[in-house]
Amino acid sequence: MDYEGYFKSELDSVREEGRYRVFTDIKRHKGSFPHATRFIDDETRAVTVWCSNDYLGMGQHPDVIDAMHNTLEECGAGAGGTRNISGTNHYHVELEAELADLHGKEAALLFTSGYVSNWAGIGTLASKIPNCVVFSDALNHASMIEGIRHSRAPYKIWNHNDAAHLDELLSEYGPDVPKLVAFESVYSMDGDIAPIADILDVCEKHGAMSYIDEVHAVGLYGPRGGGIAEREGLMDRITVIEGTLGKAYGVMGGYIAGSRNLVDFVRSFASGFIFSTALPPAVAAGAAASIRHLKQSNAERELQRDRVASVRRSLDTLGIPHLDNPSHIVPVMVGDAKKCKMISDWLMDNHGIYVQPINYPTVPVGTERLRITPSPVHDDGDIDRLVNALSEIWSQCELARMAVAA
């Protein structure tokens, strides 16, 4: 087989479809984000980032930076290996205690990313509980799907956010069959929010465990940043809460929180935990500082909500189509992969506005979009430049606009 020829042919096909992913070479600057520097060969240009998952700008918060600096000086750079062999650093212990407290659970367990925590958490529970059947929301993240596949457990897919369909599928299995229901709170591409209470009602009716992915909600919702489940007073009814430290908390890593026995079970059997190098102590300390700050401060959340509302109002005024949803995610709908990539490139090249195109397989063909994430660190000038540039390119491309309200 001509391996190199095959690789090239497949890449050429992706390019032809407008789905080839180009990584933008940028450098964030502490204290000035969302403004950053873009590197193009030997040149640099100023850009404004509109697609970061550092939703609250905590990646540059003084408390987080100071904690990381201090711990780096105290402990050095790395963790030294896996927690099993090289020892658990005290900053891991402190961070897990903060996470357990955040979600009102007995224990929490750290992983190197949210992807790994889903893959390892779901994969371990579904594979090690005898005869477990997994029930997965149709729009679950790739990491959750990978965990289900890895487990080799039987699974059923229920219609997105459809508690009645979940009820119907669960009814096919008797009370003696272990069941795990996996879903998200905020779905990151459309920005819609799950009917968590309805889903939990169905889980409890059928004796099923509930596993919620709150990666796009922790830090952002609830009085202490515990997510949508905290905001709605439902955390105590959920078996496993999974989250990330790499989005609203501004650092990196993932975790699960649950009962002491469940967390210890995953710790003892999950290969993705046992054989992975632990987070550096400085990262763990920075994440803990971010969590502690957002447990007692609503200022960042309130300002973010204001920025999101301002972007939506401005888009509405100019008729730029975007999905209406109750979350912080603003998907501007293009509906064509090549145009989506072209618009993204044009915004960057002509206005220094960085917003990545979202194409298949992340979203279905025909629903390509620009995923905009307003944050507390975007000011009115940033918003004006974004929406005016979008209006300009919308006219150039002769794309349809929404009806503008009188």
Side-chain angles (χ1 to χ4, degrees):
M1 180 177 180
D2 178 6
Y3 298 109
E4 289 299 317
Y6 171 75
F7 299 149
K8 183 178 184 303
S9 174
E10 289 296 298
L11 289 170
D12 286 345
S13 295
V14 174
R15 288 188 181 95
E16 177 62 26
E17 295 169 15
R19 297 192 294 111
Y20 184 73
R21 297 167 190 250
V22 177
F23 290 169
T24 302
D25 185 357
I26 68 169
K27 181 190 290 185
R28 289 164 41 125
H29 301 290
K30 177 175 68 72
S32 64
F33 189 73
H35 305 293
T37 299
R38 179 191 183 192
F39 292 80
I40 314 165
D41 298 324
D42 294 329
E43 298 181 10
T44 60
R45 297 180 186 174
V47 299
T48 302
V49 180
W50 277 100
C51 51
S52 174
N53 284 342
D54 185 357
Y55 292 132
L56 299 177
M58 292 300 294
Q60 61 182 354
H61 194 280
D63 290 356
V64 176
I65 301 299
D66 288 347
M68 295 185 73
H69 274 305
N70 294 338
T71 308
L72 185 63
E73 290 295 329
E74 181 184 2
C75 297
T82 68
R83 289 172 66 178
N84 179 52
I85 292 176
S86 301
T88 287
N89 190 280
H90 186 64
Y91 288 103
H92 298 140
V93 177
E94 288 189 345
L95 176 53
E96 286 172 342
E98 288 288 351
L99 290 165
D101 173 77
L102 175 68
H103 294 296
K105 298 297 184 184
E106 293 177 340
L109 186 67
L110 286 172
F111 296 86
T112 51
S113 72
Y115 190 103
V116 175
S117 56
N118 269 335
W119 172 73
I122 294 175
T124 301
L125 292 170
S127 65
K128 299 297 291 185
I129 298 174
N131 305 313
C132 184
V133 180
V134 182
F135 298 81
S136 177
D137 185 282
L139 294 188
N140 273 344
H141 189 264
S143 59
M144 304 176 81
I145 295 169
E146 192 64 26
I148 295 167
R149 288 175 176 166
H150 175 73
S151 76
R152 299 185 179 179
Y155 65 89
K156 295 282 188 177
I157 298 174
W158 44 289
N159 297 335
H160 178 52
N161 280 348
D162 188 342
H165 187 227
L166 173 63
D167 187 21
E168 179 183 328
L169 293 179
L170 284 166
S171 297
E172 298 174 5
Y173 296 84
D176 295 334
V177 177
K179 309 169 190 72
L180 176 65
V181 174
F183 62 105
E184 301 180 41
S185 59
V186 177
Y187 287 83
S188 64
M189 288 300 114
D190 289 349
D192 56 329
I193 294 176
I196 301 175
D198 294 342
I199 293 169
L200 294 178
D201 288 344
V202 173
C203 290
E204 291 162 0
K205 173 183 175 182
H206 295 279
M209 295 182 293
S210 52
Y211 182 110
I212 189 170
D213 175 321
E214 289 252 45
V215 297
H216 292 279
V218 290
L220 297 167
Y221 300 92
R224 299 199 308 158
I228 300 293
E230 185 197 26
R231 185 187 73 178
E232 299 181 5
L234 299 169
M235 291 194 299
D236 61 311
R237 296 174 59 188
I238 300 172
T239 311
V240 182
I241 298 175
E242 185 268 349
T244 184
L245 306 168
K247 293 183 171 59
Y249 290 122
V251 193
M252 71 168 291
Y255 65 90
I256 61 169
S259 72
R260 184 167 287 104
N261 284 334
L262 183 149
V263 169
D264 196 17
F265 180 86
V266 174
R267 182 191 69 88
S268 299
F269 292 104
S271 61
F273 173 81
I274 294 169
F275 298 105
S276 287
T277 297
L279 289 174
V283 171
S290 183
I291 293 166
R292 282 193 289 268
H293 176 83
L294 290 173
K295 280 179 178 178
Q296 54 82 34
S297 173
N298 274 315
E300 292 82 4
R301 289 187 280 271
E302 290 172 357
L303 185 52
Q304 189 215 31
R305 287 194 288 269
D306 174 81
R307 301 290 79 192
V308 170
S310 181
V311 169
R312 286 191 171 128
R313 282 194 304 270
S314 298
L315 292 173
D316 288 340
T317 299
L318 295 171
I320 305 298
H322 60 99
L323 289 182
D324 187 20
N325 63 53
S327 76
H328 59 283
I329 295 165
V330 183
V332 171
M333 305 305 291
V334 179
D336 179 275
K338 291 183 178 179
K339 286 184 178 178
C340 198
K341 176 69 168 60
M342 183 274 289
I343 291 171
S344 174
D345 290 344
W346 184 89
L347 289 170
M348 179 73 94
D349 294 339
N350 291 275
H351 293 276
I353 291 171
Y354 175 35
V355 53
Q356 276 288 85
I358 307 295
N359 296 329
Y360 178 85
T362 306
V363 296
V365 173
T367 68
E368 292 82 4
R369 65 199 66 182
L370 303 172
R371 180 181 176 274
I372 295 172
T373 54
S375 76
V377 291
H378 289 99
D379 60 28
D380 290 340
D382 295 326
I383 295 173
D384 289 343
R385 286 186 289 273
L386 170 69
V387 296
N388 288 332
L390 281 170
S391 183
E392 182 181 349
I393 190 62
W394 232 253
S395 296
Q396 289 186 26
C397 293
E398 298 182 337
L399 292 169
R401 296 184 185 241
M402 302 184 301
V404 178

